[in-house]
Amino acid sequence: MTVESTAARKPRRSAGSKTGTTRTTAQSADAPAADAQATAAQPATATASKATAAKRATTKRAPAKRAVPKKPTAEPAATGADPDLVQLLTPEGRRVENAAYDPYVAALTPDDLRGLYRDMVLTRRFDAEATALQRQGELGLWASLLGQEAAQIGSGRATRTDDYVFPTYREHGVAWCRDIDPINLLGMFRGVNHGGWDPNSNNFHLYTIVIGSQTLHATGYAMGVAKDGADSAVVAYFGDGASSQGDVAESFTFASVYNAPVVFFCQNNQWAISEPTERQTRVPLYQRAQGYGFPGVRVDGNDVLAVLAVTKWALERARSGEGPTLVEAYTYRMGAHTTSDDPTRYRHDDERAAWEAKDPIARLRTYLEASNHAEEGFFAELEAESESLGRRVREAVRAMPDPDHFAIFEHTYADGHALVDEERAQFAAYQASFADVEGA
C-alpha cells in the first residue's frame, strides 16, 4: 500500500500528533451560514450585480483546491481521557472502574493476574531471541511483536479451546495462548517448512503472509460454524495497514449480512510499515464497523485487562448469535515492521519514548506489586524461566536443518518444465559461485 519512497520521506511528526477524530467535514458544517453572511455584506445595487455577473462571465475561474485536512494536535491518551477508549489499567498501573467491562474480569484471581504477566514476559523473551537469531543469520526474517504483548495475550486468553483463530504473521503471543510450541513458529522463518503445526490440533491457523486475506478465511469459516449450529466463535487478526485492503472490506460485508460469529481483531500499532495510520483512514478504525451494521470498540491495546474484557464480550456476542464485532486494539509497534525494516527512516525517537511509558508489562507489574499480588520471588523465578526459554529457542533453531535451496523448483509442474529446468540450472551455478569464493 506504500505509494511514496521511505528513503525520500522526512521523519514523521513526534509523539504528540496522531490520527484521531478530527474531520474536515465537521469544519465545513457552517459553510452555508458563512456564505449567507458574505452575500448580505455585498452592496445591494443593480449596477454592482451586473458588473459582478459580467466579470464572472469573462473571467475563467481557477480549479478549486481540495481542502487539506488539519493534522490532529494530540493523540488519544490511554489514560481514560478519551471517552471512546476502553481502559481498566492506566499506564501508571492504577485500576480504574468500567461498569460495562468490569464484570468480564471480576473473577480474575491473583494467580490469573500473575499468569497474564508471565505470558507477556515469556512472549517478549521469545520474540527478542528470535530477533537476535535473525541478526545472527539463523532466520531469514522475523516480525517482532514488541509492544503488542497485551493486545495478543489479552485477546488470546479470552478465547475458548473450541474457538478458531486466524492469525497474520505477528501473532506469536496468541500462538502461545493456543499452546503452539514457539519452536514451531520459527521453521517458516528459517525456510524449512510452511508452518510447523497442525491447525486443527489447536484451532490456530497457519500464519498468513498475504495482507488481509485471512479475514476472508475467518469469515467463511465462521459462516460454516453458524450453519453447523455450533456455539463457538472465530477471531480474525489483522493490522491497521490491512484495514485498507479490499479483502477486509469484503469480509466485513459478508460477516454482517450473514451474521457470522466472528470477531475482527485489529491491532492498530500506528504504522503500516512506513505509512502512519492517518494516511490509512480519516476516522478511528473502530468506527468503520458502523458502515457495515455491526459494533466497533476501541480498547487500550497496552492494557491486558481491558483487552481481555472487551474480547470476552465480543466473543460472547458472536457465540450467542449477535454477529460480528470489530475490536481496535490501540497499541504501538515498538520495533521494526520486520527485521528488514529500518523505522528510523520514517519516525522519531521521541514517539517511541512516549509509548515506552505505556509499556504493557511494566504497568501490570506495577499493579501486581501495589496490590500485593506478587512478591519478588515470583519475578526472580520468572526471570530464570525466561532465560531458560531463550536457551531452548537458540538450541532448537541452530539444530534445524539448513533450507533446501532447490525446493522452490519442485512441484511447480507435475511433469516438469523446460523453463523451470533452466532456472534451476542458473540458480545452481549461482550457488556454486559462492563455493568457489570460499575455496579460493
Side-chain angles (χ1 to χ4, degrees):
M1 298 299 293
T2 304
V3 295
E4 59 179 304
S5 170
T6 57
R9 185 182 307 131
K10 293 182 179 179
R12 177 190 167 217
R13 79 290 178 271
S14 60
S17 64
K18 175 68 190 78
T19 184
T21 57
T22 303
R23 299 178 64 184
T24 54
T25 52
Q27 296 172 1
S28 63
D30 297 327
D35 290 342
Q37 292 175 2
T39 302
Q42 295 175 355
T45 63
T47 302
S49 299
K50 290 179 180 179
T52 301
K55 185 176 181 180
R56 286 176 178 173
T58 58
T59 303
K60 187 176 181 179
R61 296 182 62 185
K65 295 183 178 179
R66 288 187 64 184
V68 178
K70 293 182 178 180
K71 254 191 151 6
T73 58
E75 69 176 358
T79 60
D82 179 5
D84 294 330
L85 187 75
V86 179
Q87 185 182 81
L88 302 182
L89 199 62
T90 69
E92 299 76 24
R94 180 174 57 86
R95 181 73 165 84
V96 292
E97 295 183 356
N98 186 305
Y101 293 102
D102 279 345
Y104 293 94
V105 294
L108 291 179
T109 66
D111 281 343
D112 294 329
L113 294 172
R114 289 192 294 270
L116 292 172
Y117 182 84
R118 174 180 176 272
D119 288 336
M120 291 194 293
V121 168
L122 294 181
T123 299
R124 178 172 289 188
R125 182 66 181 88
F126 161 70
D127 179 72
E129 193 63 40
T131 300
L133 286 166
Q134 194 282 329
R135 299 304 189 198
Q136 296 165 13
E138 300 291 346
L139 301 177
L141 190 72
W142 183 250
S144 174
L145 62 65
L146 183 62
Q148 300 176 220
E149 294 86 357
Q152 297 195 14
I153 297 301
S155 59
R157 288 303 180 197
T159 62
R160 298 188 324 207
T161 56
D162 60 336
D163 295 330
Y164 207 102
V165 174
F166 287 82
T168 66
Y169 47 80
R170 200 188 302 273
E171 273 66 62
H172 319 314
V174 184
W176 174 270
C177 294
R178 302 299 292 184
D179 294 328
I180 302 294
D181 189 333
I183 308 303
N184 286 338
L185 302 178
L186 300 173
M188 181 178 68
F189 292 95
R190 188 175 171 86
V192 298
N193 60 45
H194 297 291
W197 65 92
D198 178 1
N200 294 322
S201 296
N202 304 72
N203 281 5
F204 185 79
H205 199 266
L206 298 176
Y207 275 3
T208 302
I209 306 299
V210 179
I211 305 300
S213 65
Q214 72 281 358
T215 59
L216 288 172
H217 309 158
T219 300
Y221 192 94
M223 291 166 60
V225 166
K227 288 183 178 295
D228 289 344
D231 69 344
S232 57
V234 178
V235 184
Y237 286 87
F238 61 102
D240 49 288
S243 69
S244 297
Q245 294 287 343
D247 285 355
V248 175
E250 293 173 9
S251 301
F252 286 2
T253 297
F254 273 83
S256 177
V257 171
Y258 288 92
N259 206 45
V262 57
V263 175
F264 295 106
F265 194 93
C266 175
Q267 293 178 82
N268 179 2
N269 64 16
Q270 314 305 314
W271 289 94
I273 309 182
S274 59
E275 289 296 301
T277 309
E278 61 258 30
R279 292 182 180 174
Q280 301 279 336
T281 180
R282 292 285 296 278
V283 299
L285 293 178
Y286 76 96
Q287 292 184 6
R288 288 184 173 181
Q290 298 176 9
Y292 294 89
F294 57 86
V297 180
R298 172 180 278 186
V299 61
D300 183 349
N302 285 17
D303 175 0
V304 69
L305 299 184
V307 175
L308 177 66
V310 168
T311 310
K312 280 187 174 181
W313 165 78
L315 287 169
E316 285 189 7
R317 286 192 73 256
R319 297 189 193 107
S320 60
E322 296 181 53
T325 304
L326 172 60
V327 176
E328 178 193 358
Y330 198 80
T331 182
Y332 190 75
R333 193 194 76 208
M334 296 298 292
H337 172 71
T338 68
T339 47
S340 65
D341 173 43
D342 179 10
T344 64
R345 300 176 67 183
Y346 53 82
R347 70 185 190 189
H348 291 287
D349 290 340
D350 55 355
E351 177 179 297
R352 189 181 192 279
W355 279 91
E356 283 180 345
K358 306 172 186 178
D359 184 79
I361 296 178
R363 76 169 72 181
L364 183 55
R365 175 164 183 162
T366 300
Y367 176 70
L368 289 172
E369 292 176 331
S371 305
N372 295 318
H373 289 330
E375 299 178 350
E376 191 58 38
F378 164 75
F379 298 110
E381 291 177 3
L382 183 56
E383 179 64 23
E385 184 181 6
S386 175
E387 290 303 313
S388 177
L389 174 62
R391 286 193 299 272
R392 184 169 77 88
V393 170
R394 283 195 303 275
E395 293 170 358
V397 169
R398 289 170 178 166
M400 288 182 181
D402 290 334
D404 180 0
H405 294 161
F406 295 94
I408 191 173
F409 301 103
E410 304 298 330
H411 311 300
T412 304
Y413 292 93
D415 299 321
H417 194 283
L419 181 59
V420 174
D421 294 339
E422 180 182 348
E423 292 172 342
R424 182 189 294 107
Q426 291 174 347
F427 186 69
Y430 174 72
Q431 292 292 318
S433 68
F434 290 101
D436 294 341
V437 172
E438 293 174 357

